[in-house]
Amino acid sequence: MQRVVKPKNPRAKRALVKREPKIIENTKQCLFLHGKKTGEFMRKCIKDIYALKRQDSKLLQSQDQLLPFEDILPVERLAHEHDASLFAYATHSKKRPNNLILGRMFNHHILDLIELGVDNYLGLEDFKNKKITVGNKPCMVFCGTQFEDLVDYKNLKNILIDFFRGVEATDVRLQGFEHALLFTATDDTIYMRSYKILLKKSGTRIPRVELEEIGPCMDLKIRRTKFASDDLKKKACRQPKHLKIGKKKNQSRDVFGTKLGRIHMTKQDLGQLQTRKMKALKKSSAKAKATNNEASTSTAEPMEVSQE
């Protein structure tokens, strides 16, 4: 039998209500972890990534050596305890140096896992300039045909969007675009770069856009992967009926999002259609009288005169 947890005070009750399934889910929480034997290089990396999404994430202290690909249960327990559906784990070993594992959960169980190797890392402290506002939603750009053609790159793109998407935005403000994340895939390497968007005066209504690198930047290589099956992925992506937009009769939208409607009418008699009256085509009064007289004389019958 499944154990039923009863709250002992109002604070515990609010926490349980917050964890209950919702039609519109909360922002995904993320856990950042690193092992006790992880070097300073990867600890700095995991802390800088945490700084980009500090608003909806937790950085935990050094944990015992975790092996997500071999035994995922300890990670699932930590995620369930902190109500997190995403995690990033930094490790370092002789076999796999500078290792970064990204994963996401569904229903408190592992859904996707991907292992990345980190090279040429430069952190936030290596760029001596002003940083972005905390909790800012980044603009993500993916360059390279690999993100559209290869399965591993497609899933990595999906996981990265889940990591950095943050709060779902309904309205967009131009001054709100402060951060840009660029992922470029060439050969077997993915180049991650982080930029601050600067809006300069241009003399017109449209500002001049400049990019300033703020870090972190790194080169990533895919090592090991463990993705969900098609059935599990379909179940995880299923939407509630309340959020599905039903099809409305005789309404459609084109590729530009314009709403189009179809109207059904009875057949029209074009012979009685009222056209626009124009002065240029209107006859003068003199010409109208002349045409009327000609018509009357032509229709009149000739009279017969008898001769005696």
Side-chain angles (χ1 to χ4, degrees):
M1 293 178 63
Q2 187 176 3
R3 185 170 64 94
V4 178
V5 180
K6 293 184 178 180
K8 297 181 179 180
N9 50 51
R11 182 182 177 184
K13 184 177 180 180
R14 288 195 299 269
L16 290 176
V17 170
K18 189 177 180 181
R19 294 190 179 193
E20 288 180 353
K22 301 178 179 62
I23 296 178
I24 300 176
E25 295 182 352
N26 301 329
T27 304
K28 292 184 178 181
Q29 300 294 315
C30 181
L31 288 182
F32 288 92
L33 313 166
H34 60 81
K36 291 183 178 179
K37 296 182 180 180
T38 306
E40 188 64 27
F41 180 84
M42 289 306 298
R43 291 191 183 192
K44 183 181 176 183
C45 175
I46 203 75
K47 288 180 181 179
D48 286 344
I49 299 176
Y50 162 74
L52 296 180
K53 52 188 284 86
R54 185 179 302 171
Q55 189 176 9
D56 50 2
S57 59
K58 295 180 181 179
L59 178 63
L60 302 184
Q61 299 299 324
S62 58
Q63 302 290 325
D64 294 334
Q65 195 67 19
L66 302 175
L67 301 173
F69 281 90
E70 287 76 15
D71 185 13
I72 194 60
L73 290 178
V75 181
E76 288 180 351
R77 291 194 198 100
L78 282 173
H80 183 62
E81 180 183 349
H82 295 278
D83 193 22
S85 55
L86 301 168
F87 75 91
Y89 180 52
T91 61
H92 179 75
S93 63
K94 186 177 180 180
K95 187 177 181 180
R96 296 183 180 89
N98 303 329
N99 207 36
L100 179 64
I101 300 175
L102 304 179
R104 56 182 172 181
M105 307 283 184
F106 169 66
N107 198 16
H108 304 297
H109 295 287
I110 194 65
L111 183 67
D112 293 319
L113 269 178
I114 187 165
E115 189 178 62
L116 304 170
V118 181
D119 292 321
N120 302 327
Y121 178 76
L122 292 175
L124 294 171
E125 296 179 356
D126 298 323
F127 297 90
K128 307 299 181 181
N129 48 19
K130 292 184 179 180
K131 309 303 179 184
I132 59 172
T133 309
V134 177
N136 194 280
K137 191 178 179 70
C139 175
M140 303 183 67
V141 182
F142 293 88
C143 300
T145 57
Q146 289 90 331
F147 289 116
E148 303 296 333
D149 300 337
L150 303 179
V151 178
D152 290 350
Y153 284 79
K154 281 183 181 179
N155 290 325
L156 175 60
K157 175 183 176 181
N158 197 291
I159 293 172
L160 289 173
I161 292 174
D162 248 3
F163 255 82
F164 295 104
R165 67 185 302 175
V167 182
E168 187 175 352
T170 54
D171 298 324
V172 178
R173 184 170 174 261
L174 184 61
Q175 284 75 13
F177 284 107
E178 294 184 21
H179 189 205
L181 286 175
L182 175 64
F183 298 90
T184 306
T186 57
D187 299 331
D188 296 333
T189 307
I190 302 163
Y191 301 95
M192 175 185 171
R193 300 294 182 266
S194 178
Y195 298 97
K196 182 179 181 181
I197 301 175
L198 303 175
L199 302 179
K200 302 288 186 177
K201 293 183 179 179
S202 61
T204 61
R205 295 183 61 184
I206 302 175
R208 179 167 54 88
V209 180
E210 291 184 0
L211 298 179
E212 183 181 6
E213 192 169 2
I214 60 173
C217 72
M218 64 188 83
D219 301 343
L220 305 173
K221 289 187 178 181
I222 298 177
R223 289 177 177 169
R224 289 187 293 175
T225 59
K226 187 178 179 181
F227 299 124
S229 61
D230 294 338
D231 295 337
L232 183 58
K233 196 170 185 178
K234 184 178 180 181
K235 185 179 179 181
C237 296
R238 187 173 58 188
Q239 289 186 344
K241 293 182 179 179
H242 301 280
L243 296 180
K244 291 183 179 179
I245 301 175
K247 293 184 178 180
K248 294 186 178 180
K249 194 174 181 181
N250 300 324
Q251 290 186 11
S252 61
R253 291 184 180 273
D254 58 8
V255 294
F256 302 104
T258 306
K259 190 175 181 180
L260 306 176
R262 180 181 294 179
I263 301 175
H264 298 274
M265 300 177 63
T266 57
K267 190 175 181 180
Q268 292 181 332
D269 186 6
L270 300 180
Q272 298 180 356
L273 186 66
Q274 179 65 41
T275 58
R276 185 179 177 184
K277 295 181 180 180
M278 299 181 65
K279 293 183 178 180
L281 302 178
K282 189 175 181 180
K283 294 181 180 180
S284 61
S285 58
K287 290 183 178 180
K289 289 181 180 180
T291 53
N292 292 334
N293 293 333
E294 290 178 0
S296 60
T297 54
S298 60
T299 54
E301 297 181 357
M303 297 178 63
E304 295 181 359
V305 180
S306 62
Q307 297 179 359
E308 294 181 356

